[in-house]
Amino acid sequence: MGLTIAQKIIQNHLVSGEMKPGCDIGLKIDQTLTQDATGTMAYLEFEAMGVPRVKTEKSVAYIDHNTLQTGFENADDHRFIQSVAKKHGIWFSRPGNGICHQVHLERFGVPGKTLIGSDSHTPTGGGIGMLAMGAGGLDVAVAMGGGPYYISMPKMLRVNLTGKLSPWVSAKDVILKVLQLLSVKGGVGKIVEYSGEGVKSLSVPERATITNMGAELGATTSIFPSDEVTRSFLQAQGRGQDWVELSSDPDAVYDEEVSIDLSALEPLAACPHSPDNVKSLKEIGAIKVDQVCIGSCTNSSYLDLMRVASILKGKTVHPDVSLAIAPGSKQVYNMLAMNGALADIIAAGARVLECACGPCIGMGQSPNSKGISLRTFNRNFEGRSGTADGQIYLVSPETAAASALAGVLTDPRTLGEEAPIALPEHFLINDNMVEAPASEAEMDSVEILRGPNIKEFPVTGPLEETIAAKALLKVGDNITTDHIMPAGAKILPYRSNIPYLSNFCFGVCDKEFPARCREYGPSVVVGGQNYGQGSSREHAALVPLYLGVKAVLVKSFARIHCANLANAGILPLIFKNEADYDKIDQMDELELKNVRKAIEDNAPVIVSDKTKGIEIETEAVLSQRQREMVLAGGLLNYTREQN
Ligand code: MIC
Ligand code: SF4
């Protein structure tokens, strides 16, 4: 039987397990990436493992999230990461060099290799045929130490692309269409593979926009073939030697298939407050726009910004609109500066921001209250922009630029003829903001710079036999990691300071939760479907751990968050019978008896609700290895035990 592209890469990297959907598999990891908001924790964990030098082919530490420096905290974190990178064999991309996923695609990604990154949009690398996955910081630390990365073998979902995009319709509209068809849960437990005639007409940056936002489908990752288009891209990046061809076998078998006719697509937008709340611009109508933000790891490539510049050229941004533009990398920014496109952007009245995540992670540019903001980003969860009642629409760069000029949501197809824009034959290559690690001879003399913002992280002990805990919080469906551990300029600088962060845990849902944890001690969080969707931040597990959360009992979990809970040593439980969710109330007294034994035997975990006098059957969402891990008190204790 033939293999899909992803199955071929998995086969080449398989360390343990069987390639059958649902089986736990261990993969050898060739490359890792971190960003600063999750990186401080990942490197503290790496240090705790006691491995002197990374064992991967390439590990890169990026600074792109917390680049606003309104106090010493972020700058201290940057120095800490810089010194750890230098000492332990990791490449370091300085603040200003760009967003991790964009830079990694340009300068480091290699088709056919495996990559895990402590950021949920790591699948961007699928645009050049990498098997690239988002993971928790601890998983990345283990991979840097040479350990495998474990996932449950995904199913294969084929997206068959036919036709060719019409003028003014872009790659963003393709992935918005996929989200409309499949929803934010549609990719769970699956790898999305793009194939068909339509693939050839898409450039690498366009493919990367599509695989980037596959994260919003909940997919394990998304991947494109590595073909002539990929080869030209790598050659233009001066990395032709990194190219290998990758395609699926003609008789490859997919578990599911959808088809999209690119020629039939029209401009779309994801409406507040979910990336799958997708409508056509026609359906939404000409709403008045307050702000437009262009950038993020989804849409800040050279191609994207050249299209934006050509729309803005010779025009003026509408007086009621604030237009902010952040190029994805120094390479993009520098090229726009050299070819004059930056001048067109500035002349039109845009506010140019540094090459970083910026507004996407709430680091500045929060819209006015009730403000309507069009963004080329990938997430529009409530409150993420920093303005609680902000109304965020996710759109293509073309729609964003056209609307910034008109002051209302505007279909770019009304702009007339589209100027053809091609990728350059040679990108501008200047890696002077990437620092190489110290040589083996010098590494011992590198001193780690640990500012006062770098605090210890919580580690739990072995799982107890009986857990008595109160249901200190009950929440509904689709709780995101932004709900559990919010981002934003006020809190993000404390990503290396769990005690401080704990004051904001679930702040969006219930401000009193941290205080209740301090008052009552051990607790269980109860939730609905798709709990923990969104980001890879393990802070959404470490902070609850610090506050005494012993188990999270929900209807279903998002993949990375579920793994992060297990890594931290918190029990991820699901209801055997979803209707039992309604029987537990917040503040109920719970008891989990013989829980060690249940985990050892892979038996149901019985939660007795003392307040209601009932017993509820639950199941731990853990692989064999994760069961051992939870018994040992999380991945760090487990890894130490193994060594
Ligand atoms: C995000 O987009 O939410 C982030 C910030 O990039 C996160 C990582 C983080 O919380 O640091 C992600 O997507 O994993
Ligand atoms: Fe940065 Fe936004 Fe991309 Fe996350 S989604 S990596 S915050 S640009």
Side-chain angles (χ1 to χ4, degrees), residues 35 64-65 99-101 119-121 212 295-298 356-358 360-361 377-379 384:
Q35 38 89 338
D64 55 1
H65 278 61
I99 305 175
C100 54
H101 309 304
D119 191 282
S120 59
H121 290 103
N212 170 282
S296 94
C297 56
T298 314
C357 300
C360 179
I361 191 60
F377 308 169
N378 47 36
R379 290 188 172 147
R384 183 176 164 98

Side-chain angles (χ1 to χ4, degrees), residues 595-634:
V595 56
R596 265 196 86 84
K597 176 126 189 14
I599 298 298
E600 273 162 12
D601 300 348
N602 197 11
V605 174
I606 307 298
V607 176
S608 71
D609 186 322
K610 301 268 178 200
T611 312
K612 303 279 160 53
I614 51 169
E615 297 213 320
I616 290 171
E617 230 190 338
T618 76
E619 203 180 317
V621 195
L622 298 168
S623 67
Q624 172 58 32
R625 176 182 154 274
Q626 284 174 320
R627 280 200 291 277
E628 290 167 23
M629 209 167 82
V630 167
L631 289 166

Side-chain angles (χ1 to χ4, degrees), residues 371-382:
I372 292 192
S373 177
L374 304 187
R375 300 179 161 206
T376 66
F377 308 169
N378 47 36
R379 290 188 172 147
N380 59 348
F381 302 137
E382 207 167 354

Side-chain angles (χ1 to χ4, degrees), residues 46-107:
F46 180 73
E47 283 188 308
M49 282 166 27
V51 178
R53 206 173 168 87
V54 293
K55 296 185 178 146
T56 42
E57 290 173 15
K58 185 125 259 160
S59 286
V60 190
Y62 294 90
I63 308 290
D64 55 1
H65 278 61
N66 295 340
T67 55
L68 256 191
Q69 289 158 229
T70 53
F72 65 88
E73 292 87 358
N74 286 342
D76 274 13
D77 283 2
H78 301 169
R79 297 212 153 207
F80 167 70
I81 294 176
Q82 185 169 17
S83 60
V84 171
K86 188 156 197 179
K87 191 175 186 77
H88 296 293
I90 299 150
W91 295 74
F92 180 72
S93 171
R94 297 174 55 188
N97 193 46
I99 305 175
C100 54
H101 309 304
Q102 174 68 26
V103 178
H104 207 82
L105 194 76
E106 291 168 353
R107 307 305 305 141

Side-chain angles (χ1 to χ4, degrees), residues 186-421:
V188 174
K190 298 171 199 167
I191 293 179
V192 184
E193 228 176 86
Y194 289 86
S195 66
E197 268 307 291
V199 164
K200 278 200 214 111
S201 66
L202 296 171
S203 67
V204 164
E206 290 173 312
R207 296 174 183 186
T209 294
I210 294 171
T211 56
N212 170 282
M213 240 182 131
E216 276 53 57
L217 293 166
T220 303
T221 188
S222 304
I223 193 166
F224 272 84
S226 171
D227 55 11
E228 283 306 317
V229 174
T230 322
R231 195 220 291 256
S232 321
F233 176 82
L234 286 170
Q235 273 167 350
Q237 289 286 356
R239 303 201 291 121
Q241 77 284 358
D242 287 341
W243 183 75
V244 289
E245 190 178 359
L246 280 174
S247 58
S248 58
D249 291 329
D251 55 344
V253 179
Y254 292 84
D255 301 281
E256 232 178 285
E257 190 166 326
V258 292
S259 268
I260 292 184
D261 177 4
L262 297 176
S263 334
L265 289 182
E266 56 177 327
L268 301 168
C271 304
H273 297 285
S274 184
D276 62 354
N277 188 11
V278 174
K279 297 196 177 117
S280 71
L281 299 191
K282 239 188 282 139
E283 282 173 273
I284 303 168
I287 47 170
K288 197 169 168 343
V289 172
D290 300 294
Q291 183 192 48
V292 173
C293 294
I294 298 176
S296 94
C297 56
T298 314
N299 276 129
S300 59
S301 66
Y302 174 80
L303 209 59
D304 287 330
L305 295 199
M306 285 303 290
R307 287 184 180 146
V308 166
S310 87
I311 296 172
L312 296 181
K313 190 178 170 118
K315 310 253 170 57
T316 295
V317 173
H318 191 279
D320 294 342
V321 175
S322 168
L323 168 65
I325 301 184
S329 69
K330 171 175 174 261
Q331 180 181 75
V332 172
Y333 200 8
N334 210 342
M335 287 176 72
L336 297 178
M338 288 174 72
N339 70 16
L342 183 62
D344 295 333
I345 289 174
I346 296 171
R351 303 165 68 180
V352 184
L353 310 176
E354 76 171 318
C355 309
C357 300
C360 179
I361 191 60
M363 273 287 180
Q365 312 304 322
S366 300
N368 53 293
S369 51
K370 299 201 175 70
I372 292 192
S373 177
L374 304 187
R375 300 179 161 206
T376 66
F377 308 169
N378 47 36
R379 290 188 172 147
N380 59 348
F381 302 137
E382 207 167 354
R384 183 176 164 98
S385 65
T387 300
D389 54 7
Q391 304 291 310
I392 313 300
Y393 291 76
L394 306 175
V395 298
S396 71
E398 291 84 346
T399 301
S403 308
L405 295 177
V408 292
L409 183 66
T410 299
D411 188 330
R413 290 175 301 182
T414 57
L415 293 176
E417 212 171 306
E418 190 181 30
I421 291 165

